[in-house]
Amino acid sequence: MRTLAPWAVIAWLAIWQMASWALGSDLLLPGPLDVALRLAEDAATTTFWQRIAFTILRIGGGAVAGWLIGAFAAVAATRSARARELIEVPMMLARSVPVASITVLALIWLSARNLSVFVVALVVTPIVYENISAALGARDTALDEMARVFRIRPWRRFRLVVLPQLRPSLRATCRLTLGMAWKAGVAAEVIGIPMGSLGEAIYQTKVHFDTAGLFSWTIAVVACSIICETVAGLVLDTACSLLTQDASRTRAPRDGHKDDRDLGNACRPPVGISSSPARTNLDDGIRKGRARLTLTGVTKRFPQGPAIGPVSLAVSSGEPLCIMAPSGSGKTTLLRIAAGLDVMSSGAIGFEVDGEACRTWSSSMVFQDDRLCEQADAVANTAIALTGPAASQRSREVLESLGLTECTDRPVRTLSGGQRRRVALARALVADADILLLDEPFNGLDDKARAQTAALVRNRARYVPTIIATHVLDDAQLLGARIVRLDSL
């Protein structure tokens, strides 16, 4: 909520007082001091607070109902075009029909006491629907692809991927809907005149020509609206902050002691990282045996531009494969097809373990861009696809092996480009996946960081088929990978 400048408030109060003096009639326009005295007099009575409680409960109930209906409709409309077409009809009516008409019609169906609940819900619902629909439609598709590749569970995906993108829209919608809710709710009470409501009090001031009372009750309504908006905003911000943190994990102890449950599965430090005392669990969660990924005659045709392929190649665990080609030659597209993000025009992809074909398999990927959850820390980003009590420690160990010991608990939005790249690499390395796909993995890294990262990649490639796409020969040599040039396939 915007803060009002004190001088501006004082200036408008002075203008109000001068206008009251100019008219010379408290019936036409009482002065601010007279209204303040009347408000203090009313606030000293029990009836005043009972009326406020009556109205707050019903307007609040209608606002909550409108939020639930609008949010559910927005999600349904985003997921299905048919649902959107069906939902648009009542939403258009709710946006267009005057509140007065809705209120009079609702009096036929409902008692006056619950009239404001229905009216507020009907006013709030289309606002919530429109804003959340727009926010869902504007989500970063790159993060959605990351969530698909790493098979992030729905609740964690909502908390760490979707909710942070919706948060600004939710905050603005909260402010807008509560203002509209109070306007519509009190207007409905003035028409329905339920006993014990703020609307009834305002109606009585009209009957008795009590202008000071009208101003007093109006100020009470405005104050209630502002307070409700502020409290709702704080609740929303707090809930979003709590939900977007990875609260399911526990922080590793800082005294060097590890969780005994993880020590039995820990493997030796990767070659070339003897300076790090941390052990890694990169072989946890993968299929045992020699794995092999094959691409046979894979092609991708585009409506405009040249096609890719046919590409035929095979890569086995322990024998990383580096695809080299100039930028724009289709390396990324080929990795996306292997990850299941793009559909190939023709060809086949197969996966087998010890010669036995598998119907399904999973992928882990480093994208050209980092695709991190900005509000979460490095450990949460690394462990985003993991479950179980060892997830945090596995992630922390790999981050420490990559030289990020001091960054593990910092939000990734505060990290440098090279640090963020290593977090993205750590996420791909710890994921329980059958194949590992790396797209320009060492972009933005200095020589030391490249050596550390390459050691972990080589260690991981011992267990899973690994494909690296790059146009830098040094990267392939650093990984000891077999080189295949895309233009020669």
Side-chain angles (χ1 to χ4, degrees):
M1 178 181 173
R2 295 177 181 175
T3 302
L4 299 177
W7 72 267
V9 175
I10 294 172
W12 281 107
L13 288 174
I15 293 172
W16 178 6
Q17 182 62 67
M18 288 186 289
S20 176
W21 286 337
L23 291 174
S25 172
D26 289 342
L27 179 62
L28 294 177
L29 183 63
L33 182 58
D34 295 331
V35 172
L37 291 174
R38 178 59 183 273
L39 180 61
E41 180 183 337
D42 290 339
T45 66
T46 304
T47 303
F48 177 87
W49 298 105
Q50 288 175 341
R51 289 183 184 277
I52 288 179
F54 179 98
T55 300
I56 285 179
L57 287 175
R58 282 154 180 78
I59 290 179
V64 170
W67 263 85
L68 293 176
I69 297 170
F72 177 80
V75 172
T78 303
R79 297 176 66 91
S80 168
R82 291 293 186 187
R84 174 177 288 276
E85 293 171 356
L86 188 65
I87 292 169
E88 281 292 342
V89 175
M91 291 300 168
M92 183 191 67
L93 291 174
R95 289 192 300 266
S96 306
V97 176
V99 174
S101 299
I102 295 173
T103 304
V104 173
L105 181 62
L107 276 173
I108 302 174
W109 305 330
L110 304 171
S111 66
R113 292 181 63 84
N114 297 318
L115 175 65
S116 57
V117 177
F118 175 79
V119 172
V120 168
L122 208 58
V123 169
V124 167
T125 296
I127 300 175
V128 174
Y129 169 76
E130 290 292 341
N131 283 273
I132 294 184
S133 293
L136 288 172
R139 289 202 324 272
D140 187 352
T141 56
L143 287 178
D144 288 340
E145 288 183 345
M146 180 275 294
R148 285 174 53 195
V149 169
F150 288 97
R151 306 166 305 285
I152 302 174
R153 293 187 173 185
W155 177 237
R156 183 176 288 188
R157 179 185 298 195
F158 170 76
R159 293 192 302 107
L160 299 182
V161 178
V162 177
L163 184 57
Q165 298 181 72
L166 298 182
R167 185 172 179 174
S169 178
L170 293 177
R171 190 66 176 86
T173 305
C174 178
R175 181 170 60 249
L176 177 61
T177 53
L178 280 175
M180 293 298 297
W182 274 92
K183 289 180 180 180
V186 173
E189 288 183 347
V190 171
I191 295 175
I193 319 176
M195 293 286 293
S197 67
L198 287 174
E200 183 204 17
I202 292 174
Y203 179 81
Q204 292 298 330
T205 61
K206 184 201 77 166
V207 172
H208 297 95
F209 297 98
D210 183 5
T211 311
L214 174 61
F215 273 76
S216 171
W217 286 111
T218 301
I219 291 174
V221 170
V222 172
C224 287
S225 176
I226 293 173
I227 292 172
C228 288
E229 179 185 322
T230 303
V231 171
L234 290 174
V235 171
L236 179 63
D237 288 341
T238 302
C240 288
S241 297
L242 292 174
L243 287 172
T244 53
Q245 295 172 358
D246 195 1
S248 63
R249 65 181 181 86
T250 57
R251 298 192 183 277
R254 308 305 291 178
D255 59 359
H257 297 291
K258 303 294 183 181
D259 189 340
D260 292 339
R261 290 171 294 185
D262 298 323
L263 296 180
N265 293 328
C267 58
R268 295 181 180 179
V271 177
I273 312 185
S274 57
S275 60
S276 174
R279 290 178 289 187
T280 59
N281 300 334
L282 296 184
D283 59 343
D284 290 352
I286 62 175
R287 304 184 196 227
K288 305 303 179 182
R290 185 172 177 80
R292 180 180 176 87
L293 177 72
T294 58
L295 282 68
T296 306
V298 172
T299 63
K300 177 68 175 179
R301 290 184 291 272
F302 300 97
Q304 297 177 344
I308 297 173
V311 175
S312 297
L313 55 84
V315 55
S316 301
S317 54
E319 301 174 357
L321 175 69
C322 182
I323 299 175
M324 295 195 65
S327 298
S329 300
K331 302 186 302 297
T332 296
T333 301
L334 194 61
L335 292 189
R336 289 175 59 86
I337 290 173
L341 294 176
D342 282 352
V343 178
M344 55 188 166
S345 302
S346 62
I349 300 178
F351 181 78
E352 60 183 43
V353 178
D354 290 335
E356 184 177 347
C358 301
R359 297 183 59 184
T360 60
W361 59 91
S362 56
S363 305
S364 178
M365 188 171 183
V366 171
F367 302 87
Q368 281 193 358
D369 47 343
D370 299 322
R371 304 193 184 190
L372 301 175
C373 300
E374 299 292 332
Q375 80 293 338
D377 62 32
V379 172
N381 270 279
T382 303
I384 195 167
L386 300 178
T387 57
S392 176
Q393 182 168 328
R394 285 179 61 185
S395 303
R396 192 177 294 274
E397 288 174 352
V398 175
L399 289 169
E400 291 174 353
S401 295
L402 292 173
L404 295 175
T405 303
E406 302 302 322
C407 305
T408 53
D409 298 321
R410 287 171 51 189
V412 295
R413 65 174 177 268
T414 66
L415 303 184
S416 67
Q419 290 170 333
R420 291 166 59 88
R421 192 58 174 169
R422 280 178 279 173
V423 173
L425 282 157
R427 177 183 62 195
L429 291 171
V430 302
D432 299 333
D434 296 314
I435 63 173
L436 177 61
L437 306 170
L438 308 176
D439 195 354
E440 304 287 357
F442 303 141
N443 279 349
L445 301 184
D446 57 29
D447 291 341
K448 180 180 178 182
R450 281 174 179 253
Q452 289 176 321
T453 305
L456 283 181
V457 172
R458 289 197 304 269
N459 185 74
R460 181 64 164 174
R462 292 162 51 194
Y463 307 102
V464 298
T466 302
I467 303 178
I468 306 99
T470 184
H471 60 277
V472 180
L473 181 60
D474 289 346
D475 291 351
Q477 295 174 340
L478 193 61
L479 293 169
R482 175 167 57 97
I483 298 175
V484 173
R485 297 196 176 273
L486 189 60
D487 53 7
S488 65
L489 295 175

